[in-house]
Amino acid sequence: MRRILLASLLLSSQAVLAESFSECPSRAFLTQGAIAATYGVNLVTGDYGLLQDNMATKSKVNATGFNPNDNFLYGWGYEKQKPVRIHNDFTVEYLEVANLIDGSGFYVGDVSLTNNTYYVYRKGSDYGLFGISLDENSENYMSMEKVIDGSSLSLRIFDMAFHPSNGFAYSVDKTGVLHRIDVESGTSESLGSTGESGTFGAVYFDVDENLYISRNSDGKIFKVDVGSGNYAAQLFALGPSSSINDGARCALAPVSDVSDVNIDFGDAPESYGTYLKDNGARHGLTDNNTLYLGSNVDGESDGKPMPLSDDESDSNDDEDGVQFATTLQSGDTAVIIVEASSDGILSGWLDSDQNGTFDADEQIIIDKSVVAGKQPVYVEVPAGASAGSTWARFRLSSTASVGANGGVSDGEVEDYNVNITVEGSAVNYYPSSSGWTTVAFEDNWPYEGDYDMNDLVTYLRTSVYRTNGEVTAINIKGELAAVGANYHNGFGIRLPDILRDQINEEDISYTINDRPVIADYSPLEAGRHEAIFILAYNTWSYVSAGEDCLFYRTEAGCGSNVQMRFNLTIPFKTPVESDIAGVFDPFLFATPGAWHGSHFDSPPGRSYEIHLKNQHATEAFDYSLMNGSGQDASDPAAKHFYQTTKGMPWALELGNRWQYPKEYRDVTHAYPQFPSFVRSEGLENPSWYTFNNAVESILFKD
Amino acid sequence: MKKLITMLSLTVLLTACGGGGDSETSTSANADGDTTTVGANPDTETPLQENTADLESSADFDFATSRSIAIDFDVAAARTTPGLMSVCSDYSKTDDIYDINYDSCTLQAPLVNGIYSGAMEVTNDINVVVGVVWFKDSSIEPVYKEFALELGARLAGRGAGAQKLVWR
């Protein structure tokens, strides 16, 4: 019974049914993302699964609500700034309504069960509370009627939900106060504090008068027993976090556990057999789980292949039982270190031909007995294995002859994204094989900014592959951690002393959030002499600020998961002698066509760049801009670049996954050892940027 | 219980700052008619507070967060049996047993007749690394060598070049 319910909710992206839901489902629906996707959330466990990532819209959908009167979801579609009806395949249908008001989007909304009307709300005198009747017999059918303006009814709320029977809508504001809204009169009453504050972007009711509120920044779901009058929020489950959230649920359904989370799935991409529907590798978990890889294992109700892996989205990364003590050389021996919780049988596969499946002849570990603790396992990488990025799967259980797919009753599966190298290849990792470094920018060059060093923050990791001392390939992984800027900026990386001609352009691999970037897009900048890679022309195209926030991940209370991760593999045509190392030459540039301050008569675009101190610009830069304007003291003849008259930088590299200051806060206040580092020219406090040297309360927290 | 108290006190803190945030300018995203007290600072900080805008640096100081370390390995044990080398920074040693976190490696390379020569870039917060050589012959135990690292700025101050890690 449970399996059937689950399978019916796993719809492919090609579903063409345009119908209402056939029932009032128990799970809640959560719509997220700058490009809308809908997840089903099991409120009992917090477990969630993607239901649809192609909702037939290029933009956000918010203010969603479930209408038990017709069993459709309704929401506000940002692409056309109109209300939408959402079908059971989660695609949107724009509704033509009379008296549609102009302007930007609503993020608070729900459908009233009692009067069959879709209500949307936004604070501010330009907006307010509006109702769109969904009742064909009403004279206001499909007409947007204002109930009251958003100044008379002024609430800092981010979603609302209608009670199952009393006709009121409820919400919790940013300070944690529970409000009851009368949608007929447009008035509200504060009922009391729930004791939890934050942006509750998704709220839901169940039939027992419990209100569930999901906090954007950390994904925590709290339960408030509205019916009892005791409004203290109780932590109920951990769900997904996002800067843009909206929740809808059929309030008439009881909350019950409709899926089985006592299973461990893998998270390799879908083709490897990860989903239940593809007979993905899975292991049963018992209450008293004793057999697993590494230090823990967490369950999922279904596979979550990358890029949806819960190892990325929840705070529990259980991929920790296997480490690579040597490189994986094609046709050669390699050593992996396996940690098992207790004795068991281990098997492993390596997709050496990179065809997206674990084939029988790619099994590199066959029923090897392992003991509790860490041990080396020697494997042979198949001869002819293609060099490059691929996947490996390891399965531990008490059963022998386990295949790459299918279920077993105990143990754990762990999938790893690995790199196969050619024979004799060495790799330099920076800062380490799993670590991150950070580049942080102020974007107002040639003028000093506020030194919050978060106008653009990128985490980076580089890998340089060499054979016989010459570079054969470079990999750059990155995450867009913060955009605390009004300007539209791009981000690029130049490979110092490497020429464009030396790059094997057609074999470059560039993925964003583990999806290949559109075909025919080469991040290797055209028309240049040097090897310059444009990771993003406009960082604002990939991230969103979130409800009631100006910036991406810099303001208090405006947290979300990292929204843009990239992975760039750069093969060389022939090996090149080069001592290239570290973070290379990362730079910020002005988005072409975008205003970058009144200092420039016209948008400076690519001719405007900011680099680390004393790093010269790329060939695209207009050096006539270095004319002593503002506080800039660049002096190309003396090889001084991007420094103020006091020698201070516009860009810094920090050798860790840096926790940057909140918006408008000074980096020196957040990291008090910085001044002595500067005055001693690096002799004192070289680790000034580490977390244990920070004033935690000044840092941004996601 | 502890969590509830913390959340309540956070709520009080937020209210004291004018609700929802502690930014100091009127263009803050949280300001919508709430009063913000300029200079109000609930953070614990040292009394003498500098601002970055007041700091001065020499024109040549590059604010480096890492330094290059040279590698000169000629591992005797790996001259006759092929060795696979890693250099990693996170490890512990109990009695004579090394427990290495291979997620913290800065360099991994096969040795050629026991030799590897090159360099690696290491961040300022790392003071020690361990080199390990595994052998393709599983009957031979791996060999290890620890290295203490010097700070790049200190070496530069002496006019010395990059530190070289030597393993014979």
Side-chain angles (χ1 to χ4, degrees), chain A residues 123 323-325 332 374 427-429 432-434 555 613-614 640 643 646 655 665-666 668-669 679 681 689 697-698, chain B residues 29 32 43 45 50-53 57-61 65 86 99 101-103 105-106 108 110 119 124-125 136 154:
Chain A
K123 189 165 70 74
Q323 293 191 335
F324 298 87
D332 211 332
K374 286 190 187 175
V427 55
N428 276 85
Y429 300 107
S432 70
S433 40
S434 299
E555 302 145 289
K613 180 180 171 185
N614 293 343
H640 295 146
Q643 53 175 284
K646 290 185 173 161
R665 302 307 299 268
D666 191 320
T668 295
H669 299 172
R679 281 192 279 267
E681 303 219 333
Y689 56 88
S697 54
I698 303 185
Chain B
D32 56 351
D43 311 311
E45 287 159 27
E50 301 186 76
N51 299 316
T52 306
S57 162
S58 74
D60 289 328
F61 175 53
T65 200
S86 297
D99 183 6
N101 176 5
Y102 289 95
D103 287 339
C105 299
T106 48
Q108 287 191 307
N124 287 353
D125 54 317
K136 295 185 190 180
R154 208 153 281 139

Short mmCIF file of all heavy atoms in Angstrom, two decimals, chain A residues 123 323-325 332 374 427-429 432-434 555 613-614 640 643 646 655 665-666 668-669 679 681 689 697-698, chain B residues 29 32 43 45 50-53 57-61 65 86 99 101-103 105-106 108 110 119 124-125 136 154:
data_model
loop_
_atom_site.label_atom_id
_atom_site.label_comp_id
_atom_site.label_asym_id
_atom_site.label_seq_id
_atom_site.Cartn_x
_atom_site.Cartn_y
_atom_site.Cartn_z
N LYS A 123 2.14 43.01 1.97
CA LYS A 123 2.20 44.21 2.81
C LYS A 123 2.53 45.43 1.98
O LYS A 123 3.18 45.34 0.95
CB LYS A 123 3.32 43.96 3.83
CG LYS A 123 3.43 44.95 4.93
CD LYS A 123 4.32 44.38 6.06
CE LYS A 123 5.78 44.27 5.66
NZ LYS A 123 6.42 45.57 5.63
N GLN A 323 37.39 6.44 1.54
CA GLN A 323 38.32 7.49 1.16
C GLN A 323 39.31 6.92 0.16
O GLN A 323 39.54 5.72 0.13
CB GLN A 323 39.05 8.06 2.37
CG GLN A 323 38.14 8.80 3.33
CD GLN A 323 38.90 9.58 4.37
OE1 GLN A 323 40.03 9.25 4.70
NE2 GLN A 323 38.28 10.62 4.88
N PHE A 324 39.92 7.80 -0.61
CA PHE A 324 40.82 7.37 -1.67
C PHE A 324 42.26 7.70 -1.28
O PHE A 324 42.68 8.84 -1.31
CB PHE A 324 40.39 8.01 -3.00
CG PHE A 324 39.00 7.58 -3.39
CD1 PHE A 324 37.88 8.25 -2.92
CD2 PHE A 324 38.82 6.45 -4.18
CE1 PHE A 324 36.61 7.82 -3.24
CE2 PHE A 324 37.54 6.00 -4.51
CZ PHE A 324 36.43 6.70 -4.03
N ALA A 325 42.99 6.65 -0.89
CA ALA A 325 44.34 6.85 -0.40
C ALA A 325 45.34 7.08 -1.53
O ALA A 325 46.47 7.50 -1.29
CB ALA A 325 44.78 5.66 0.45
N ASP A 332 45.61 0.42 -13.40
CA ASP A 332 46.62 0.24 -12.36
C ASP A 332 45.95 -0.01 -11.00
O ASP A 332 44.75 0.14 -10.85
CB ASP A 332 47.51 1.48 -12.30
CG ASP A 332 48.92 1.13 -11.86
OD1 ASP A 332 49.08 0.13 -11.12
OD2 ASP A 332 49.86 1.86 -12.24
N LYS A 374 38.61 0.82 10.20
CA LYS A 374 39.14 1.22 8.89
C LYS A 374 40.12 0.18 8.38
O LYS A 374 40.92 -0.36 9.14
CB LYS A 374 39.90 2.54 9.02
CG LYS A 374 39.02 3.74 9.20
CD LYS A 374 39.85 5.03 9.07
CE LYS A 374 38.98 6.23 9.43
NZ LYS A 374 39.76 7.47 9.43
N VAL A 427 48.23 14.72 -9.13
CA VAL A 427 47.22 15.76 -8.97
C VAL A 427 47.54 16.63 -7.76
O VAL A 427 47.86 16.13 -6.68
CB VAL A 427 45.78 15.18 -8.90
CG1 VAL A 427 45.66 14.14 -7.80
CG2 VAL A 427 44.76 16.26 -8.70
N ASN A 428 47.49 17.93 -7.98
CA ASN A 428 47.59 18.90 -6.90
C ASN A 428 46.19 19.40 -6.59
O ASN A 428 45.49 19.88 -7.50
CB ASN A 428 48.43 20.12 -7.33
CG ASN A 428 49.91 19.87 -7.15
OD1 ASN A 428 50.56 19.30 -8.01
ND2 ASN A 428 50.44 20.30 -6.02
N TYR A 429 45.79 19.29 -5.33
CA TYR A 429 44.49 19.81 -4.92
C TYR A 429 44.74 21.11 -4.16
O TYR A 429 45.67 21.22 -3.36
CB TYR A 429 43.79 18.85 -3.97
CG TYR A 429 43.51 17.48 -4.51
CD1 TYR A 429 44.24 16.38 -4.08
CD2 TYR A 429 42.49 17.27 -5.44
CE1 TYR A 429 43.97 15.10 -4.56
CE2 TYR A 429 42.22 16.00 -5.93
CZ TYR A 429 42.96 14.92 -5.49
OH TYR A 429 42.70 13.67 -5.96
N SER A 432 42.57 21.47 -0.77
CA SER A 432 42.75 20.05 -0.45
C SER A 432 41.72 19.27 -1.25
O SER A 432 40.88 19.87 -1.91
CB SER A 432 42.55 19.77 1.05
OG SER A 432 41.19 19.94 1.40
N SER A 433 41.77 17.94 -1.18
CA SER A 433 40.89 17.12 -2.02
C SER A 433 39.42 17.33 -1.73
O SER A 433 38.58 17.09 -2.59
CB SER A 433 41.25 15.64 -1.88
OG SER A 433 41.56 15.30 -0.55
N SER A 434 39.06 17.76 -0.54
CA SER A 434 37.64 18.05 -0.26
C SER A 434 37.43 19.42 0.33
O SER A 434 36.32 19.76 0.72
CB SER A 434 37.06 17.03 0.73
OG SER A 434 37.14 15.77 0.21
N GLU A 555 22.15 39.02 4.43
CA GLU A 555 21.39 39.69 5.49
C GLU A 555 20.93 38.67 6.52
O GLU A 555 20.58 37.54 6.17
CB GLU A 555 20.15 40.38 4.90
CG GLU A 555 20.46 41.41 3.84
CD GLU A 555 19.38 41.42 2.77
OE1 GLU A 555 19.29 40.47 1.97
OE2 GLU A 555 18.61 42.39 2.78
N LYS A 613 44.63 41.78 -4.93
CA LYS A 613 45.61 42.86 -4.90
C LYS A 613 46.89 42.48 -5.64
O LYS A 613 47.42 41.38 -5.46
CB LYS A 613 45.95 43.20 -3.44
CG LYS A 613 46.98 44.34 -3.32
CD LYS A 613 47.30 44.65 -1.87
CE LYS A 613 48.48 45.63 -1.81
NZ LYS A 613 48.91 45.88 -0.42
N ASN A 614 47.34 43.40 -6.46
CA ASN A 614 48.59 43.25 -7.24
C ASN A 614 48.53 42.16 -8.30
O ASN A 614 49.55 41.76 -8.85
CB ASN A 614 49.81 43.07 -6.32
CG ASN A 614 50.10 44.33 -5.54
OD1 ASN A 614 49.60 45.42 -5.89
ND2 ASN A 614 50.86 44.22 -4.47
N HIS A 640 51.57 47.43 -9.30
CA HIS A 640 50.62 47.55 -8.20
C HIS A 640 49.23 47.68 -8.81
O HIS A 640 48.96 48.58 -9.62
CB HIS A 640 50.91 48.79 -7.35
CG HIS A 640 52.23 48.70 -6.62
ND1 HIS A 640 53.03 49.79 -6.37
CD2 HIS A 640 52.86 47.63 -6.08
CE1 HIS A 640 54.11 49.39 -5.72
NE2 HIS A 640 54.03 48.09 -5.54
N GLN A 643 44.60 48.27 -5.46
CA GLN A 643 44.80 48.61 -4.07
C GLN A 643 44.47 50.08 -3.87
O GLN A 643 44.56 50.89 -4.79
CB GLN A 643 46.24 48.34 -3.62
CG GLN A 643 47.32 48.98 -4.48
CD GLN A 643 48.69 48.74 -3.87
OE1 GLN A 643 49.06 49.39 -2.89
NE2 GLN A 643 49.46 47.83 -4.46
N LYS A 646 45.79 53.49 0.62
CA LYS A 646 46.36 52.93 1.85
C LYS A 646 46.80 51.48 1.66
O LYS A 646 47.06 50.78 2.64
CB LYS A 646 45.34 53.01 2.98
CG LYS A 646 45.07 54.42 3.46
CD LYS A 646 44.14 54.40 4.66
CE LYS A 646 44.02 55.79 5.24
NZ LYS A 646 42.82 55.90 6.08
N GLY A 655 41.76 31.25 2.98
CA GLY A 655 42.05 29.84 2.72
C GLY A 655 41.14 28.83 3.37
O GLY A 655 41.59 27.77 3.80
N ARG A 665 28.55 44.97 7.64
CA ARG A 665 29.44 44.84 8.80
C ARG A 665 30.88 44.78 8.32
O ARG A 665 31.21 44.15 7.34
CB ARG A 665 29.08 43.58 9.61
CG ARG A 665 27.63 43.56 10.13
CD ARG A 665 27.21 44.78 10.89
NE ARG A 665 27.99 45.00 12.09
CZ ARG A 665 27.66 44.54 13.29
NH1 ARG A 665 26.56 43.84 13.48
NH2 ARG A 665 28.44 44.81 14.33
N ASP A 666 31.75 45.42 9.05
CA ASP A 666 33.16 45.56 8.68
C ASP A 666 33.93 44.27 8.96
O ASP A 666 33.81 43.69 10.05
CB ASP A 666 33.73 46.72 9.51
CG ASP A 666 35.11 47.17 9.05
OD1 ASP A 666 35.95 46.30 8.70
OD2 ASP A 666 35.37 48.37 9.08
N THR A 668 36.94 43.82 9.71
CA THR A 668 37.82 43.93 10.88
C THR A 668 37.05 43.70 12.17
O THR A 668 37.58 43.16 13.13
CB THR A 668 38.51 45.31 10.91
OG1 THR A 668 39.37 45.40 9.77
CG2 THR A 668 39.30 45.52 12.17
N HIS A 669 35.78 44.12 12.20
CA HIS A 669 34.98 43.89 13.41
C HIS A 669 34.68 42.40 13.54
O HIS A 669 34.61 41.87 14.64
CB HIS A 669 33.67 44.68 13.34
CG HIS A 669 33.91 46.17 13.26
ND1 HIS A 669 32.89 47.06 13.02
CD2 HIS A 669 35.03 46.91 13.37
CE1 HIS A 669 33.38 48.29 13.00
NE2 HIS A 669 34.67 48.22 13.20
N ARG A 679 49.39 44.76 9.41
CA ARG A 679 50.54 45.58 9.83
C ARG A 679 51.84 44.76 9.85
O ARG A 679 52.91 45.29 9.60
CB ARG A 679 50.28 46.18 11.20
CG ARG A 679 49.37 47.40 11.13
CD ARG A 679 49.37 48.15 12.45
NE ARG A 679 48.48 47.53 13.40
CZ ARG A 679 47.21 47.89 13.56
NH1 ARG A 679 46.70 48.86 12.85
NH2 ARG A 679 46.45 47.28 14.44
N GLU A 681 52.53 42.37 7.88
CA GLU A 681 52.71 41.82 6.53
C GLU A 681 52.70 40.30 6.54
O GLU A 681 53.57 39.64 5.97
CB GLU A 681 54.01 42.36 5.91
CG GLU A 681 54.02 43.87 5.85
CD GLU A 681 54.63 44.43 4.60
OE1 GLU A 681 55.48 43.76 3.99
OE2 GLU A 681 54.25 45.56 4.25
N TYR A 689 41.57 34.55 9.48
CA TYR A 689 40.28 34.37 8.80
C TYR A 689 39.53 33.13 9.25
O TYR A 689 38.44 32.84 8.74
CB TYR A 689 40.52 34.29 7.28
CG TYR A 689 41.50 33.20 6.92
CD1 TYR A 689 41.07 31.90 6.68
CD2 TYR A 689 42.87 33.46 6.87
CE1 TYR A 689 41.97 30.90 6.40
CE2 TYR A 689 43.77 32.46 6.58
CZ TYR A 689 43.33 31.19 6.34
OH TYR A 689 44.23 30.19 6.06
N SER A 697 28.89 36.67 16.22
CA SER A 697 27.61 37.35 16.07
C SER A 697 27.60 38.31 14.88
O SER A 697 26.54 38.73 14.45
CB SER A 697 27.29 38.13 17.35
OG SER A 697 28.38 38.98 17.66
N ILE A 698 28.78 38.64 14.33
CA ILE A 698 28.82 39.56 13.20
C ILE A 698 28.79 38.80 11.87
O ILE A 698 28.64 39.38 10.80
CB ILE A 698 30.08 40.45 13.29
CG1 ILE A 698 30.07 41.20 14.62
CG2 ILE A 698 30.13 41.48 12.16
CD1 ILE A 698 31.19 42.20 14.77
N ALA B 29 17.40 45.69 4.51
CA ALA B 29 16.21 44.98 4.04
C ALA B 29 15.18 44.83 5.14
O ALA B 29 14.01 44.65 4.88
CB ALA B 29 16.59 43.61 3.53
N ASP B 32 11.49 48.80 7.80
CA ASP B 32 10.26 49.19 7.12
C ASP B 32 9.47 50.08 8.05
O ASP B 32 8.31 49.88 8.31
CB ASP B 32 9.46 47.95 6.72
CG ASP B 32 9.16 47.07 7.93
OD1 ASP B 32 9.73 47.37 9.01
OD2 ASP B 32 8.39 46.14 7.81
N ASP B 43 26.79 42.85 20.06
CA ASP B 43 27.88 41.89 19.96
C ASP B 43 28.91 42.12 21.04
O ASP B 43 29.10 43.24 21.50
CB ASP B 43 28.58 42.03 18.61
CG ASP B 43 27.56 42.06 17.47
OD1 ASP B 43 26.70 41.19 17.46
OD2 ASP B 43 27.64 42.98 16.67
N GLU B 45 32.51 42.70 21.77
CA GLU B 45 33.72 43.06 21.03
C GLU B 45 34.68 43.77 21.95
O GLU B 45 34.29 44.30 22.98
CB GLU B 45 33.38 44.02 19.87
CG GLU B 45 32.68 43.29 18.74
CD GLU B 45 31.89 44.23 17.86
OE1 GLU B 45 32.24 45.40 17.79
OE2 GLU B 45 30.91 43.78 17.28
N GLU B 50 38.93 49.03 15.55
CA GLU B 50 39.41 49.66 14.34
C GLU B 50 38.43 49.40 13.22
O GLU B 50 37.61 48.49 13.28
CB GLU B 50 40.76 49.05 13.97
CG GLU B 50 41.81 49.22 15.06
CD GLU B 50 43.16 48.74 14.57
OE1 GLU B 50 43.80 49.46 13.80
OE2 GLU B 50 43.58 47.64 14.99
N ASN B 51 38.56 50.20 12.19
CA ASN B 51 37.79 49.98 10.97
C ASN B 51 38.75 49.66 9.85
O ASN B 51 39.86 50.19 9.80
CB ASN B 51 36.99 51.23 10.61
CG ASN B 51 36.00 51.59 11.69
OD1 ASN B 51 35.31 50.74 12.23
ND2 ASN B 51 35.96 52.87 12.03
N THR B 52 38.33 48.83 8.95
CA THR B 52 39.20 48.44 7.83
C THR B 52 39.63 49.66 7.04
O THR B 52 40.76 49.74 6.56
CB THR B 52 38.48 47.43 6.93
OG1 THR B 52 38.03 46.33 7.72
CG2 THR B 52 39.40 46.93 5.84
N ALA B 53 38.75 50.64 6.92
CA ALA B 53 39.06 51.84 6.13
C ALA B 53 40.22 52.62 6.73
O ALA B 53 40.85 53.43 6.05
CB ALA B 53 37.84 52.73 6.03
N SER B 57 48.49 49.39 4.54
CA SER B 57 49.37 48.29 4.18
C SER B 57 50.41 48.80 3.21
O SER B 57 50.16 49.74 2.46
CB SER B 57 48.53 47.19 3.52
OG SER B 57 49.35 46.31 2.79
N SER B 58 51.56 48.15 3.19
CA SER B 58 52.54 48.50 2.17
C SER B 58 51.97 48.10 0.82
O SER B 58 51.15 47.20 0.73
CB SER B 58 53.86 47.76 2.42
OG SER B 58 53.71 46.40 2.06
N ALA B 59 52.44 48.78 -0.22
CA ALA B 59 51.91 48.51 -1.56
C ALA B 59 52.24 47.10 -2.01
O ALA B 59 51.51 46.50 -2.79
CB ALA B 59 52.46 49.53 -2.54
N ASP B 60 53.34 46.55 -1.54
CA ASP B 60 53.77 45.23 -2.02
C ASP B 60 53.14 44.07 -1.26
O ASP B 60 53.16 42.94 -1.76
CB ASP B 60 55.30 45.10 -1.91
CG ASP B 60 56.00 45.96 -2.95
OD1 ASP B 60 55.43 46.13 -4.05
OD2 ASP B 60 57.09 46.47 -2.66
N PHE B 61 52.60 44.28 -0.07
CA PHE B 61 52.04 43.16 0.69
C PHE B 61 50.81 42.63 -0.04
O PHE B 61 49.90 43.37 -0.38
CB PHE B 61 51.68 43.61 2.10
CG PHE B 61 50.99 42.54 2.91
CD1 PHE B 61 51.57 41.28 3.06
CD2 PHE B 61 49.79 42.79 3.55
CE1 PHE B 61 50.95 40.29 3.81
CE2 PHE B 61 49.16 41.81 4.31
CZ PHE B 61 49.74 40.56 4.43
N THR B 65 47.06 34.12 1.51
CA THR B 65 46.44 33.20 2.45
C THR B 65 47.04 31.80 2.32
O THR B 65 46.62 30.88 3.00
CB THR B 65 44.92 33.17 2.23
OG1 THR B 65 44.26 32.67 3.39
CG2 THR B 65 44.55 32.30 1.06
N SER B 86 50.78 10.22 -1.21
CA SER B 86 49.86 11.31 -0.90
C SER B 86 50.49 12.19 0.15
O SER B 86 51.27 11.70 0.99
CB SER B 86 48.53 10.77 -0.33
OG SER B 86 47.85 9.97 -1.26
N ASP B 99 46.39 7.52 11.34
CA ASP B 99 45.03 7.56 10.84
C ASP B 99 44.93 8.83 10.00
O ASP B 99 44.94 9.93 10.55
CB ASP B 99 44.03 7.57 12.00
CG ASP B 99 42.59 7.55 11.51
OD1 ASP B 99 42.36 7.41 10.29
OD2 ASP B 99 41.69 7.67 12.36
N ASN B 101 43.16 11.36 7.20
CA ASN B 101 41.92 11.76 6.54
C ASN B 101 42.27 12.12 5.10
O ASN B 101 42.82 13.20 4.82
CB ASN B 101 41.31 12.96 7.27
CG ASN B 101 40.08 13.48 6.56
OD1 ASN B 101 39.61 12.89 5.58
ND2 ASN B 101 39.55 14.58 7.05
N TYR B 102 41.98 11.19 4.18
CA TYR B 102 42.36 11.41 2.79
C TYR B 102 41.49 12.44 2.08
O TYR B 102 41.68 12.70 0.90
CB TYR B 102 42.37 10.08 2.02
CG TYR B 102 43.53 9.20 2.44
CD1 TYR B 102 43.38 8.22 3.41
CD2 TYR B 102 44.79 9.40 1.89
CE1 TYR B 102 44.45 7.44 3.82
CE2 TYR B 102 45.88 8.62 2.29
CZ TYR B 102 45.70 7.65 3.26
OH TYR B 102 46.77 6.88 3.67
N ASP B 103 40.54 13.05 2.79
CA ASP B 103 39.82 14.18 2.22
C ASP B 103 40.60 15.47 2.39
O ASP B 103 40.17 16.52 1.94
CB ASP B 103 38.44 14.32 2.88
CG ASP B 103 37.48 13.24 2.44
OD1 ASP B 103 37.70 12.63 1.37
OD2 ASP B 103 36.49 13.01 3.16
N CYS B 105 43.93 15.88 1.50
CA CYS B 105 45.21 15.79 0.79
C CYS B 105 45.42 16.98 -0.13
O CYS B 105 44.49 17.47 -0.77
CB CYS B 105 45.29 14.50 -0.02
SG CYS B 105 45.18 13.03 1.01
N THR B 106 46.68 17.43 -0.22
CA THR B 106 47.04 18.51 -1.13
C THR B 106 47.73 17.98 -2.37
O THR B 106 47.79 18.66 -3.39
CB THR B 106 47.96 19.51 -0.43
OG1 THR B 106 49.00 18.78 0.22
CG2 THR B 106 47.22 20.34 0.60
N GLN B 108 48.55 14.12 -4.60
CA GLN B 108 48.55 12.67 -4.73
C GLN B 108 49.25 12.33 -6.04
O GLN B 108 48.89 12.90 -7.09
CB GLN B 108 47.13 12.09 -4.71
CG GLN B 108 46.48 12.13 -3.33
CD GLN B 108 45.20 11.33 -3.24
OE1 GLN B 108 44.28 11.52 -4.03
NE2 GLN B 108 45.12 10.45 -2.25
N PRO B 110 51.72 9.03 -8.22
CA PRO B 110 52.54 7.83 -8.21
C PRO B 110 54.02 8.24 -8.23
O PRO B 110 54.37 9.23 -8.87
CB PRO B 110 52.15 7.12 -9.51
CG PRO B 110 51.57 8.17 -10.38
CD PRO B 110 51.08 9.29 -9.51
N ALA B 119 55.76 20.81 -6.52
CA ALA B 119 55.40 21.80 -5.50
C ALA B 119 53.94 21.62 -5.15
O ALA B 119 53.19 20.94 -5.84
CB ALA B 119 55.64 23.21 -6.03
N ASN B 124 47.48 29.01 4.94
CA ASN B 124 48.20 29.47 6.13
C ASN B 124 47.87 28.70 7.39
O ASN B 124 48.68 28.64 8.32
CB ASN B 124 47.88 30.95 6.40
CG ASN B 124 48.55 31.86 5.40
OD1 ASN B 124 49.36 31.43 4.59
ND2 ASN B 124 48.20 33.14 5.47
N ASP B 125 46.66 28.14 7.47
CA ASP B 125 46.26 27.50 8.72
C ASP B 125 46.86 26.10 8.89
O ASP B 125 46.61 25.45 9.90
CB ASP B 125 44.73 27.45 8.81
CG ASP B 125 44.11 26.79 7.60
OD1 ASP B 125 44.55 27.09 6.47
OD2 ASP B 125 43.17 26.01 7.77
N LYS B 136 51.90 -0.95 -4.39
CA LYS B 136 50.97 -1.75 -5.18
C LYS B 136 50.96 -3.20 -4.69
O LYS B 136 49.96 -3.90 -4.81
CB LYS B 136 51.34 -1.70 -6.66
CG LYS B 136 51.19 -0.29 -7.25
CD LYS B 136 51.44 -0.29 -8.74
CE LYS B 136 51.51 1.13 -9.26
NZ LYS B 136 51.77 1.21 -10.71
N ARG B 154 57.22 34.29 6.89
CA ARG B 154 58.43 34.23 7.71
C ARG B 154 59.64 33.95 6.83
O ARG B 154 60.70 34.54 6.99
CB ARG B 154 58.29 33.12 8.75
CG ARG B 154 59.08 33.35 10.01
CD ARG B 154 58.45 32.66 11.21
NE ARG B 154 57.32 33.40 11.74
CZ ARG B 154 56.18 32.83 12.15
NH1 ARG B 154 56.01 31.53 12.07
NH2 ARG B 154 55.21 33.56 12.63
#
